[in-house]
Every structure is written in structure tokens, then in C-alpha cells.
Amino acid sequence: MTDPHPPKNIFRHAREEAKVANQPTSSPQTEDQAYRLAFQDMDFLLREDLRPVRFQLELMKPEVLMNEANIASTFVFYGSARIPEPEKAEALIAAAATDSQRKIAERLKAKAKYYDEARRLARMASRVQPDPDGRRQFVVCSGGGPSIMEAANRGACDEGQESIGLNIVLPHEQLPNAYVTPHLSFQFHYFSLRKMHFLIRARAVAIFPGGFGTFDEGFELLTLIQTRKIKPVPIVFFGREFWERVVNFEALVEEGVISADDLKLFRFVETAEEAWDYVCEHYEPGSALAAK
């Protein structure tokens, strides 16, 4: 016996098995779809009754890769895919063909400042050092698309740090923005599993002005904390004027459908500094995180 240590695994690697199975053979039996290895048979994997398996795979793949990347916690950024970078806001107005389009473009331009705030907040989060065990903390995580999502990944890139992008298959293809770290760029089919991965490691969440998707993600998070399905994390809503215009939070209290204490689950902020101070207050009084 040349090696005194027992092998970790006595089974051949799946790649080897697949290679053997794919050796050229031709007979009515081997040519039939039924003969394919199950994990190589896409027609089989895409069957309706295999949906639970696809759920499991979509849950496991990002989990395995993020564990391998030593990511312990994330700072999640939600927000619109339509708010322009400040330098591109004027072009949006110039492209407007009607008065209605111009008004919308002007409103989007007014919110362009949040691109810069998201970028600055991401830079702050990306300066947090790994813990004593080498696990990375407050890694920036976005939906991987343009606008606010791009700003978040860009801020991490400014600091020379990696960041996560959780993209989703859409009818109109949304490619990952150029600032997402390639080996942390994931694509999802199921919104539910994507939202789960947003929150598995989330230790702080910034919610910028946005539409249906932002509402869906943000209010599900509030619901999970309200119902004690997850522990409270610091949540900041950027842009009080926007949020109070589109959601009458006080009316929800007055109507009795939420309690006054539910409004304490989040804080309105306008700047990256306000947001970061709130996160530091939540985790480490005395702004130890800010000193990182």
C-alpha cells in the first residue's frame, strides 16, 4: 500500500461517470432518451414533475458558491432599474417625445442623486474587514441589473472589492451590469428563490425608490420581520418624499391594518452617511463599523 491514508471517497467523480457514459456507442437502446444519465438529460430535468428538484438546485447553487467564497453576510440594495446615472439624466429628458414623457424624465432626473448615494453607501459597506475567521462581512449584493443595482456593485468595485448580483430571467433580457463580480453573478428563474437568497445572508438592507419589484422585495422583508419569521435587520428607505407620496404609511396605522410600532421597523434617510450611521447604531454603538 503506497498511501497510508484512506481515500475521502471511494466513488468515481460524476464527471468521470459521465465521460464513460458518453463514449460512442450506437444501438436502439443507447440512442433512446431513456438511456441518458438522469443528470445529463435536460428533457427529463425540465419536466413539470421535476419542478421540486429545480427548486432545490436553484437554492443550492448560489449557496454552495457563496460558502466557497467565504461570504458570511451581505448588505442588500433594492431599487429601480430605471433611475438614471446623474451624467445620463439630461439625455433622458432630451429623448422625451411628449410632455408626459418629459415630466416622467424630469422626475427620474430628480431621483438620479440616489445613484450616487447607493454607490457611496456600497463603498462604505465594502470597507468592512473580514472577521477573525476570515469570513467576509457586509458584501454588497444587488439584483445585478442597471441603475441603482449597478451603482451598488460599482461602489464595491471602486473599493476593489467583490460584489454579488442576483439576476432574474425576464421576458426582455436583463444582462448583469459590468460591475458584478463574475463568479458571484447568479441567474434565477424563480423569484421566490431569488428573494430568499437576498435575505439568507442579509444583515442590512437599503431600499431606494423603485417600482413593483422594489415594493415586492421591500414589503416582503418588512412582513417577515413583522411576523417574526426573521430577526430584525437595519432597513433604510432612501427618499422620504418619494415613499410617503406613493405609500401612506400613517394611513395604514390609522386604518388599523398595521401598528404604530411597525413604522419603527425601518428608517427614512437621504444620504449614505445617514444610512451607514443607522447600521452602525444597530450593530455596534460607537460606530466601530464606520471606523473600518
Side-chain angles (χ1 to χ4, degrees), residues 203-242:
R203 298 299 179 267
V205 179
I207 304 173
F208 289 81
F212 288 161
T214 303
F215 274 61
D216 180 38
E217 295 154 348
F219 285 94
E220 179 174 74
L221 169 59
L222 292 175
T223 301
L224 290 170
I225 295 175
Q226 181 199 51
T227 57
R228 300 185 181 180
K229 292 294 185 181
I230 64 174
K231 295 178 181 179
V233 297
I235 303 169
V236 290
F237 278 78
F238 274 79
R240 178 189 288 268
E241 181 182 357
F242 169 83

mmCIF file of all heavy atoms in Angstrom, residues 203-242:
data_model
loop_
_atom_site.group_PDB
_atom_site.id
_atom_site.type_symbol
_atom_site.label_atom_id
_atom_site.label_comp_id
_atom_site.label_asym_id
_atom_site.label_seq_id
_atom_site.Cartn_x
_atom_site.Cartn_y
_atom_site.Cartn_z
ATOM 1 N N ARG A 203 -27.660 41.386 6.376
ATOM 2 C CA ARG A 203 -27.542 41.955 7.713
ATOM 3 C C ARG A 203 -27.852 43.445 7.706
ATOM 4 O O ARG A 203 -27.851 44.097 8.748
ATOM 5 C CB ARG A 203 -26.135 41.694 8.276
ATOM 6 C CG ARG A 203 -25.806 40.218 8.425
ATOM 7 C CD ARG A 203 -26.756 39.495 9.382
ATOM 8 N NE ARG A 203 -26.442 38.069 9.483
ATOM 9 C CZ ARG A 203 -26.998 37.124 8.744
ATOM 10 N NH1 ARG A 203 -27.926 37.428 7.827
ATOM 11 N NH2 ARG A 203 -26.665 35.860 8.898
ATOM 12 N N ALA A 204 -28.132 43.989 6.530
ATOM 13 C CA ALA A 204 -28.606 45.362 6.373
ATOM 14 C C ALA A 204 -29.194 45.473 4.977
ATOM 15 O O ALA A 204 -28.727 44.810 4.046
ATOM 16 C CB ALA A 204 -27.467 46.371 6.554
ATOM 17 N N VAL A 205 -30.246 46.307 4.851
ATOM 18 C CA VAL A 205 -30.929 46.439 3.560
ATOM 19 C C VAL A 205 -31.218 47.911 3.289
ATOM 20 O O VAL A 205 -31.771 48.616 4.148
ATOM 21 C CB VAL A 205 -32.254 45.645 3.542
ATOM 22 C CG1 VAL A 205 -32.960 45.815 2.200
ATOM 23 C CG2 VAL A 205 -31.996 44.161 3.819
ATOM 24 N N ALA A 206 -30.846 48.363 2.097
ATOM 25 C CA ALA A 206 -31.147 49.719 1.645
ATOM 26 C C ALA A 206 -32.172 49.627 0.518
ATOM 27 O O ALA A 206 -31.959 48.906 -0.459
ATOM 28 C CB ALA A 206 -29.883 50.417 1.150
ATOM 29 N N ILE A 207 -33.274 50.361 0.681
ATOM 30 C CA ILE A 207 -34.356 50.319 -0.301
ATOM 31 C C ILE A 207 -34.486 51.701 -0.929
ATOM 32 O O ILE A 207 -34.846 52.671 -0.249
ATOM 33 C CB ILE A 207 -35.683 49.890 0.356
ATOM 34 C CG1 ILE A 207 -35.497 48.538 1.059
ATOM 35 C CG2 ILE A 207 -36.788 49.803 -0.686
ATOM 36 C CD1 ILE A 207 -36.694 48.090 1.876
ATOM 37 N N PHE A 208 -34.190 51.785 -2.199
ATOM 38 C CA PHE A 208 -34.232 53.045 -2.938
ATOM 39 C C PHE A 208 -35.558 53.135 -3.696
ATOM 40 O O PHE A 208 -36.264 52.129 -3.853
ATOM 41 C CB PHE A 208 -33.042 53.125 -3.892
ATOM 42 C CG PHE A 208 -31.731 53.320 -3.191
ATOM 43 C CD1 PHE A 208 -31.061 52.231 -2.630
ATOM 44 C CD2 PHE A 208 -31.160 54.577 -3.077
ATOM 45 C CE1 PHE A 208 -29.855 52.394 -1.971
ATOM 46 C CE2 PHE A 208 -29.944 54.763 -2.423
ATOM 47 C CZ PHE A 208 -29.298 53.664 -1.861
ATOM 48 N N PRO A 209 -35.925 54.323 -4.166
ATOM 49 C CA PRO A 209 -37.159 54.434 -4.956
ATOM 50 C C PRO A 209 -37.198 53.392 -6.070
ATOM 51 O O PRO A 209 -36.199 53.137 -6.742
ATOM 52 C CB PRO A 209 -37.073 55.859 -5.516
ATOM 53 C CG PRO A 209 -36.320 56.619 -4.471
ATOM 54 C CD PRO A 209 -35.275 55.644 -3.984
ATOM 55 N N GLY A 210 -38.364 52.787 -6.240
ATOM 56 C CA GLY A 210 -38.495 51.752 -7.257
ATOM 57 C C GLY A 210 -39.939 51.408 -7.512
ATOM 58 O O GLY A 210 -40.852 52.004 -6.923
ATOM 59 N N GLY A 211 -40.152 50.435 -8.376
ATOM 60 C CA GLY A 211 -41.494 50.049 -8.793
ATOM 61 C C GLY A 211 -41.952 48.758 -8.167
ATOM 62 O O GLY A 211 -41.640 48.453 -7.013
ATOM 63 N N PHE A 212 -42.695 47.961 -8.953
ATOM 64 C CA PHE A 212 -43.305 46.748 -8.426
ATOM 65 C C PHE A 212 -42.279 45.817 -7.766
ATOM 66 O O PHE A 212 -42.520 45.258 -6.694
ATOM 67 C CB PHE A 212 -44.020 45.987 -9.541
ATOM 68 C CG PHE A 212 -45.299 46.634 -10.014
ATOM 69 C CD1 PHE A 212 -45.834 46.305 -11.250
ATOM 70 C CD2 PHE A 212 -45.978 47.557 -9.237
ATOM 71 C CE1 PHE A 212 -47.013 46.881 -11.698
ATOM 72 C CE2 PHE A 212 -47.156 48.136 -9.655
ATOM 73 C CZ PHE A 212 -47.682 47.805 -10.900
ATOM 74 N N GLY A 213 -41.138 45.621 -8.439
ATOM 75 C CA GLY A 213 -40.137 44.708 -7.902
ATOM 76 C C GLY A 213 -39.595 45.173 -6.564
ATOM 77 O O GLY A 213 -39.444 44.376 -5.628
ATOM 78 N N THR A 214 -39.310 46.461 -6.468
ATOM 79 C CA THR A 214 -38.795 47.022 -5.217
ATOM 80 C C THR A 214 -39.841 46.921 -4.110
ATOM 81 O O THR A 214 -39.526 46.589 -2.963
ATOM 82 C CB THR A 214 -38.376 48.483 -5.427
ATOM 83 O OG1 THR A 214 -37.410 48.553 -6.479
ATOM 84 C CG2 THR A 214 -37.769 49.074 -4.156
ATOM 85 N N PHE A 215 -41.100 47.208 -4.455
ATOM 86 C CA PHE A 215 -42.178 47.076 -3.476
ATOM 87 C C PHE A 215 -42.268 45.630 -2.990
ATOM 88 O O PHE A 215 -42.386 45.356 -1.793
ATOM 89 C CB PHE A 215 -43.510 47.489 -4.091
ATOM 90 C CG PHE A 215 -43.791 48.964 -4.009
ATOM 91 C CD1 PHE A 215 -42.956 49.893 -4.615
ATOM 92 C CD2 PHE A 215 -44.909 49.435 -3.335
ATOM 93 C CE1 PHE A 215 -43.213 51.238 -4.552
ATOM 94 C CE2 PHE A 215 -45.185 50.789 -3.269
ATOM 95 C CZ PHE A 215 -44.337 51.702 -3.868
ATOM 96 N N ASP A 216 -42.237 44.709 -3.927
ATOM 97 C CA ASP A 216 -42.361 43.286 -3.613
ATOM 98 C C ASP A 216 -41.268 42.858 -2.639
ATOM 99 O O ASP A 216 -41.532 42.245 -1.597
ATOM 100 C CB ASP A 216 -42.289 42.483 -4.908
ATOM 101 C CG ASP A 216 -42.408 40.981 -4.697
ATOM 102 O OD1 ASP A 216 -43.199 40.563 -3.839
ATOM 103 O OD2 ASP A 216 -41.709 40.231 -5.401
ATOM 104 N N GLU A 217 -40.034 43.202 -2.961
ATOM 105 C CA GLU A 217 -38.897 42.800 -2.135
ATOM 106 C C GLU A 217 -38.906 43.506 -0.789
ATOM 107 O O GLU A 217 -38.713 42.884 0.266
ATOM 108 C CB GLU A 217 -37.600 43.094 -2.892
ATOM 109 C CG GLU A 217 -37.425 42.264 -4.148
ATOM 110 C CD GLU A 217 -36.543 42.907 -5.199
ATOM 111 O OE1 GLU A 217 -36.221 44.111 -5.076
ATOM 112 O OE2 GLU A 217 -36.173 42.202 -6.161
ATOM 113 N N GLY A 218 -39.139 44.816 -0.814
ATOM 114 C CA GLY A 218 -39.089 45.597 0.418
ATOM 115 C C GLY A 218 -40.193 45.246 1.399
ATOM 116 O O GLY A 218 -39.948 45.066 2.598
ATOM 117 N N PHE A 219 -41.422 45.123 0.900
ATOM 118 C CA PHE A 219 -42.531 44.868 1.807
ATOM 119 C C PHE A 219 -42.595 43.412 2.252
ATOM 120 O O PHE A 219 -43.104 43.114 3.331
ATOM 121 C CB PHE A 219 -43.842 45.347 1.184
ATOM 122 C CG PHE A 219 -43.969 46.849 1.224
ATOM 123 C CD1 PHE A 219 -43.575 47.627 0.150
ATOM 124 C CD2 PHE A 219 -44.426 47.486 2.366
ATOM 125 C CE1 PHE A 219 -43.655 49.004 0.199
ATOM 126 C CE2 PHE A 219 -44.516 48.858 2.427
ATOM 127 C CZ PHE A 219 -44.127 49.633 1.344
ATOM 128 N N GLU A 220 -42.069 42.502 1.454
ATOM 129 C CA GLU A 220 -41.958 41.131 1.948
ATOM 130 C C GLU A 220 -40.977 41.086 3.116
ATOM 131 O O GLU A 220 -41.215 40.387 4.114
ATOM 132 C CB GLU A 220 -41.507 40.182 0.849
ATOM 133 C CG GLU A 220 -41.357 38.748 1.360
ATOM 134 C CD GLU A 220 -41.043 37.749 0.269
ATOM 135 O OE1 GLU A 220 -39.895 37.744 -0.207
ATOM 136 O OE2 GLU A 220 -41.945 36.977 -0.094
ATOM 137 N N LEU A 221 -39.877 41.816 3.010
ATOM 138 C CA LEU A 221 -38.910 41.882 4.098
ATOM 139 C C LEU A 221 -39.554 42.418 5.370
ATOM 140 O O LEU A 221 -39.390 41.847 6.457
ATOM 141 C CB LEU A 221 -37.724 42.763 3.681
ATOM 142 C CG LEU A 221 -36.728 43.152 4.776
ATOM 143 C CD1 LEU A 221 -36.100 41.909 5.411
ATOM 144 C CD2 LEU A 221 -35.658 44.080 4.213
ATOM 145 N N LEU A 222 -40.313 43.509 5.244
ATOM 146 C CA LEU A 222 -40.996 44.068 6.414
ATOM 147 C C LEU A 222 -41.986 43.064 6.999
ATOM 148 O O LEU A 222 -42.111 42.938 8.228
ATOM 149 C CB LEU A 222 -41.719 45.360 6.033
ATOM 150 C CG LEU A 222 -40.830 46.555 5.668
ATOM 151 C CD1 LEU A 222 -41.688 47.727 5.207
ATOM 152 C CD2 LEU A 222 -39.967 46.964 6.850
ATOM 153 N N THR A 223 -42.682 42.342 6.138
ATOM 154 C CA THR A 223 -43.643 41.344 6.607
ATOM 155 C C THR A 223 -42.941 40.226 7.369
ATOM 156 O O THR A 223 -43.421 39.770 8.420
ATOM 157 C CB THR A 223 -44.422 40.745 5.421
ATOM 158 O OG1 THR A 223 -45.099 41.794 4.729
ATOM 159 C CG2 THR A 223 -45.436 39.715 5.885
ATOM 160 N N LEU A 224 -41.800 39.763 6.868
ATOM 161 C CA LEU A 224 -41.070 38.690 7.526
ATOM 162 C C LEU A 224 -40.594 39.112 8.914
ATOM 163 O O LEU A 224 -40.611 38.311 9.863
ATOM 164 C CB LEU A 224 -39.881 38.256 6.665
ATOM 165 C CG LEU A 224 -40.236 37.515 5.371
ATOM 166 C CD1 LEU A 224 -38.995 37.351 4.499
ATOM 167 C CD2 LEU A 224 -40.852 36.154 5.677
ATOM 168 N N ILE A 225 -40.177 40.368 9.045
ATOM 169 C CA ILE A 225 -39.748 40.855 10.364
ATOM 170 C C ILE A 225 -40.961 41.066 11.264
ATOM 171 O O ILE A 225 -40.961 40.694 12.444
ATOM 172 C CB ILE A 225 -38.933 42.149 10.222
ATOM 173 C CG1 ILE A 225 -37.628 41.875 9.461
ATOM 174 C CG2 ILE A 225 -38.623 42.742 11.602
ATOM 175 C CD1 ILE A 225 -36.808 43.106 9.173
ATOM 176 N N GLN A 226 -42.016 41.662 10.706
ATOM 177 C CA GLN A 226 -43.232 41.914 11.477
ATOM 178 C C GLN A 226 -43.799 40.624 12.064
ATOM 179 O O GLN A 226 -44.273 40.582 13.201
ATOM 180 C CB GLN A 226 -44.284 42.593 10.589
ATOM 181 C CG GLN A 226 -45.596 42.922 11.284
ATOM 182 C CD GLN A 226 -46.711 43.147 10.277
ATOM 183 O OE1 GLN A 226 -46.931 42.323 9.391
ATOM 184 N NE2 GLN A 226 -47.401 44.269 10.402
ATOM 185 N N THR A 227 -43.763 39.551 11.282
ATOM 186 C CA THR A 227 -44.322 38.264 11.714
ATOM 187 C C THR A 227 -43.277 37.381 12.399
ATOM 188 O O THR A 227 -43.554 36.217 12.685
ATOM 189 C CB THR A 227 -44.918 37.513 10.511
ATOM 190 O OG1 THR A 227 -43.906 37.342 9.505
ATOM 191 C CG2 THR A 227 -46.085 38.288 9.909
ATOM 192 N N ARG A 228 -42.090 37.930 12.620
ATOM 193 C CA ARG A 228 -41.015 37.258 13.344
ATOM 194 C C ARG A 228 -40.535 35.978 12.661
ATOM 195 O O ARG A 228 -40.089 35.033 13.304
ATOM 196 C CB ARG A 228 -41.437 36.974 14.791
ATOM 197 C CG ARG A 228 -41.770 38.249 15.552
ATOM 198 C CD ARG A 228 -42.062 37.987 17.013
ATOM 199 N NE ARG A 228 -42.400 39.240 17.690
ATOM 200 C CZ ARG A 228 -42.704 39.326 18.983
ATOM 201 N NH1 ARG A 228 -42.707 38.229 19.742
ATOM 202 N NH2 ARG A 228 -42.994 40.484 19.534
ATOM 203 N N LYS A 229 -40.639 35.972 11.351
ATOM 204 C CA LYS A 229 -40.066 34.864 10.591
ATOM 205 C C LYS A 229 -38.549 35.016 10.484
ATOM 206 O O LYS A 229 -37.829 34.029 10.314
ATOM 207 C CB LYS A 229 -40.680 34.803 9.193
ATOM 208 C CG LYS A 229 -42.154 34.418 9.183
ATOM 209 C CD LYS A 229 -42.370 32.998 9.662
ATOM 210 C CE LYS A 229 -43.830 32.592 9.537
ATOM 211 N NZ LYS A 229 -44.057 31.210 10.028
ATOM 212 N N ILE A 230 -38.077 36.261 10.524
ATOM 213 C CA ILE A 230 -36.641 36.520 10.557
ATOM 214 C C ILE A 230 -36.367 37.567 11.626
ATOM 215 O O ILE A 230 -37.272 38.309 12.040
ATOM 216 C CB ILE A 230 -36.099 37.004 9.186
ATOM 217 C CG1 ILE A 230 -36.715 38.343 8.798
ATOM 218 C CG2 ILE A 230 -36.321 35.961 8.110
ATOM 219 C CD1 ILE A 230 -36.122 38.940 7.538
ATOM 220 N N LYS A 231 -35.124 37.626 12.065
ATOM 221 C CA LYS A 231 -34.735 38.611 13.075
ATOM 222 C C LYS A 231 -34.645 39.998 12.437
ATOM 223 O O LYS A 231 -34.361 40.122 11.243
ATOM 224 C CB LYS A 231 -33.393 38.226 13.686
ATOM 225 C CG LYS A 231 -33.428 36.922 14.463
ATOM 226 C CD LYS A 231 -32.050 36.569 14.995
ATOM 227 C CE LYS A 231 -32.083 35.250 15.754
ATOM 228 N NZ LYS A 231 -30.746 34.866 16.260
ATOM 229 N N PRO A 232 -34.874 41.048 13.222
ATOM 230 C CA PRO A 232 -34.777 42.407 12.665
ATOM 231 C C PRO A 232 -33.374 42.711 12.143
ATOM 232 O O PRO A 232 -32.379 42.279 12.728
ATOM 233 C CB PRO A 232 -35.116 43.294 13.857
ATOM 234 C CG PRO A 232 -35.899 42.431 14.779
ATOM 235 C CD PRO A 232 -35.317 41.052 14.628
ATOM 236 N N VAL A 233 -33.319 43.404 11.038
ATOM 237 C CA VAL A 233 -32.072 43.946 10.496
ATOM 238 C C VAL A 233 -32.319 45.414 10.209
ATOM 239 O O VAL A 233 -33.469 45.832 10.026
ATOM 240 C CB VAL A 233 -31.636 43.223 9.198
ATOM 241 C CG1 VAL A 233 -31.337 41.757 9.467
ATOM 242 C CG2 VAL A 233 -32.690 43.370 8.108
ATOM 243 N N PRO A 234 -31.268 46.231 10.197
ATOM 244 C CA PRO A 234 -31.472 47.644 9.865
ATOM 245 C C PRO A 234 -31.941 47.808 8.418
ATOM 246 O O PRO A 234 -31.292 47.304 7.494
ATOM 247 C CB PRO A 234 -30.101 48.278 10.097
ATOM 248 C CG PRO A 234 -29.136 47.138 10.077
ATOM 249 C CD PRO A 234 -29.870 45.934 10.548
ATOM 250 N N ILE A 235 -33.066 48.483 8.253
ATOM 251 C CA ILE A 235 -33.654 48.738 6.926
ATOM 252 C C ILE A 235 -33.769 50.233 6.737
ATOM 253 O O ILE A 235 -34.346 50.934 7.586
ATOM 254 C CB ILE A 235 -35.051 48.106 6.810
ATOM 255 C CG1 ILE A 235 -34.998 46.595 7.073
ATOM 256 C CG2 ILE A 235 -35.659 48.384 5.435
ATOM 257 C CD1 ILE A 235 -36.368 45.960 7.233
ATOM 258 N N VAL A 236 -33.228 50.748 5.648
ATOM 259 C CA VAL A 236 -33.321 52.178 5.355
ATOM 260 C C VAL A 236 -34.048 52.386 4.038
ATOM 261 O O VAL A 236 -33.761 51.718 3.044
ATOM 262 C CB VAL A 236 -31.926 52.849 5.312
ATOM 263 C CG1 VAL A 236 -31.319 52.903 6.712
ATOM 264 C CG2 VAL A 236 -30.978 52.129 4.360
ATOM 265 N N PHE A 237 -35.007 53.287 4.047
ATOM 266 C CA PHE A 237 -35.712 53.709 2.839
ATOM 267 C C PHE A 237 -35.142 55.057 2.412
ATOM 268 O O PHE A 237 -35.272 56.038 3.152
ATOM 269 C CB PHE A 237 -37.215 53.839 3.103
ATOM 270 C CG PHE A 237 -37.987 52.556 3.048
ATOM 271 C CD1 PHE A 237 -37.952 51.658 4.106
ATOM 272 C CD2 PHE A 237 -38.753 52.233 1.930
ATOM 273 C CE1 PHE A 237 -38.664 50.473 4.068
ATOM 274 C CE2 PHE A 237 -39.479 51.051 1.879
ATOM 275 C CZ PHE A 237 -39.428 50.171 2.949
ATOM 276 N N PHE A 238 -34.518 55.091 1.252
ATOM 277 C CA PHE A 238 -33.974 56.354 0.745
ATOM 278 C C PHE A 238 -35.080 57.162 0.074
ATOM 279 O O PHE A 238 -35.792 56.656 -0.797
ATOM 280 C CB PHE A 238 -32.862 56.079 -0.271
ATOM 281 C CG PHE A 238 -31.509 55.886 0.341
ATOM 282 C CD1 PHE A 238 -31.157 54.672 0.919
ATOM 283 C CD2 PHE A 238 -30.584 56.922 0.349
ATOM 284 C CE1 PHE A 238 -29.915 54.488 1.484
ATOM 285 C CE2 PHE A 238 -29.327 56.753 0.919
ATOM 286 C CZ PHE A 238 -28.993 55.528 1.486
ATOM 287 N N GLY A 239 -35.213 58.423 0.497
ATOM 288 C CA GLY A 239 -36.154 59.323 -0.159
ATOM 289 C C GLY A 239 -37.519 59.362 0.497
ATOM 290 O O GLY A 239 -38.482 58.825 -0.037
ATOM 291 N N ARG A 240 -37.610 60.030 1.649
ATOM 292 C CA ARG A 240 -38.887 60.110 2.359
ATOM 293 C C ARG A 240 -39.980 60.702 1.477
ATOM 294 O O ARG A 240 -41.120 60.211 1.459
ATOM 295 C CB ARG A 240 -38.736 60.966 3.625
ATOM 296 C CG ARG A 240 -40.041 61.147 4.394
ATOM 297 C CD ARG A 240 -39.906 62.173 5.509
ATOM 298 N NE ARG A 240 -39.129 61.675 6.608
ATOM 299 C CZ ARG A 240 -39.632 61.047 7.681
ATOM 300 N NH1 ARG A 240 -40.949 60.840 7.745
ATOM 301 N NH2 ARG A 240 -38.855 60.635 8.650
ATOM 302 N N GLU A 241 -39.653 61.744 0.709
ATOM 303 C CA GLU A 241 -40.663 62.395 -0.133
ATOM 304 C C GLU A 241 -41.276 61.399 -1.118
ATOM 305 O O GLU A 241 -42.499 61.367 -1.296
ATOM 306 C CB GLU A 241 -40.047 63.564 -0.896
ATOM 307 C CG GLU A 241 -41.049 64.305 -1.777
ATOM 308 C CD GLU A 241 -40.416 65.440 -2.556
ATOM 309 O OE1 GLU A 241 -39.201 65.707 -2.372
ATOM 310 O OE2 GLU A 241 -41.130 66.060 -3.383
ATOM 311 N N PHE A 242 -40.441 60.588 -1.755
ATOM 312 C CA PHE A 242 -40.950 59.594 -2.690
ATOM 313 C C PHE A 242 -41.824 58.575 -1.971
ATOM 314 O O PHE A 242 -42.961 58.305 -2.392
ATOM 315 C CB PHE A 242 -39.789 58.873 -3.396
ATOM 316 C CG PHE A 242 -40.224 57.661 -4.183
ATOM 317 C CD1 PHE A 242 -40.723 57.795 -5.472
ATOM 318 C CD2 PHE A 242 -40.157 56.373 -3.626
ATOM 319 C CE1 PHE A 242 -41.138 56.676 -6.198
ATOM 320 C CE2 PHE A 242 -40.568 55.261 -4.342
ATOM 321 C CZ PHE A 242 -41.063 55.413 -5.627
#
